[in-house]
Amino acid sequence: MAFPEAAIDAISASLAYVEDFLVEDEPLRAARRRGEEVGATPIGPAGGAALRFITAMIGARTVVEVGSGCGVSGIWLLRGMARDAVLTSVDVDHEHQRLAKIAYREAGLGASRTRMIVGRALEVLPRLTDGAYDMVFCDAAKQEYPEYLAAALRLLRPGGVVAFDNALWHHRVADPSRRDAETEAIREVGRLVRDDDRLVPLLLPVGDGLLCAVKRA
Ligand SMILES: C[S@@+](CC[C@H](N)C(=O)[O-])C[C@H]1O[C@@H](n2cnc3c(N)ncnc32)[C@H](O)[C@@H]1O
């Protein structure tokens, strides 16, 4: 679907309104600043709010996050989870996880709420227990998204949710002339999620795009 120029301005204004609808508090703003400083680009506020909404809606007690960054998405996820629920968060970068731990502490989330694992996602995910997780959130290496989906299908309980940030990848996914490896991998995971009968798919146009799916019971 192509939009006329005037409509594009209106759509941009509406999307900005959505991003600003829920204002982040100081712990989230501080985590976001640190994430941007070290190049661990955080999920946007509306995407974060969607994560919190999903964890609250499904009563998530066990969540795997692939790509801790400096803790923005982790705070949003944990704020929707039960008070004693645990976020397992994986990142290859020690320093990013150190900053994520600071962010959780500043947000009033105790160390018992997180299990932080340093390592490459594709080496760590096979060590986690099958069918034991309510949600898997993916936000690490974009080229690996199809492999994260395969891991998520194994890790999720029936009724669990998988979500991928950057599903629109800075407007490249919708532009057929963009054929770089990251864009292609994100398109591929979109096709895989859409065409898998075991999943109920949804592509949300919040922030840089949040691709979600429920694993059917
Ligand atoms: C976009 S940032 C994550 C931002 C975070 N989810 C947030 O919203 O605050 C991506 C993170 O993935 C990590 N990463 C990149 N490749 C990885 C891999 N193969 N395995 C694990 N972590 C990886 C990076 O170190 C970085 O911290």
Side-chain angles (χ1 to χ4, degrees), residues 104-177:
Y104 303 146
R105 200 164 51 238
E106 289 177 355
L109 299 158
S112 63
R113 302 292 312 280
T114 56
R115 175 168 63 142
M116 307 299 285
I117 305 176
V118 176
R120 296 189 58 77
L122 296 181
E123 289 166 15
V124 174
L125 294 174
R127 305 206 303 258
L128 304 182
T129 307
D130 290 8
Y133 294 92
D134 299 311
M135 181 166 178
V136 177
F137 169 60
C138 306
D139 191 17
K142 307 307 157 192
Q143 303 97 301
E144 296 180 353
Y145 270 20
E147 290 156 284
Y148 299 163
L149 175 63
L153 281 165
R154 183 180 62 73
L155 294 171
L156 286 174
R157 64 158 168 88
V161 174
V162 60
F164 295 85
D165 192 25
N166 307 111
L168 299 175
W169 199 227
H170 315 296
H171 310 294
R172 288 177 205 150
V173 169
D175 176 352
S177 72

Side-chain angles (χ1 to χ4, degrees), residues 16-40:
Y17 181 83
V18 170
E19 283 305 309
D20 296 342
F21 182 67
L22 294 168
V23 177
E24 289 186 330
D25 61 7
E26 185 46 34
L28 274 168
R29 283 199 296 271
R32 179 172 299 287
R33 275 194 299 275
R34 290 190 287 261
E36 282 161 0
E37 270 164 32
V38 302

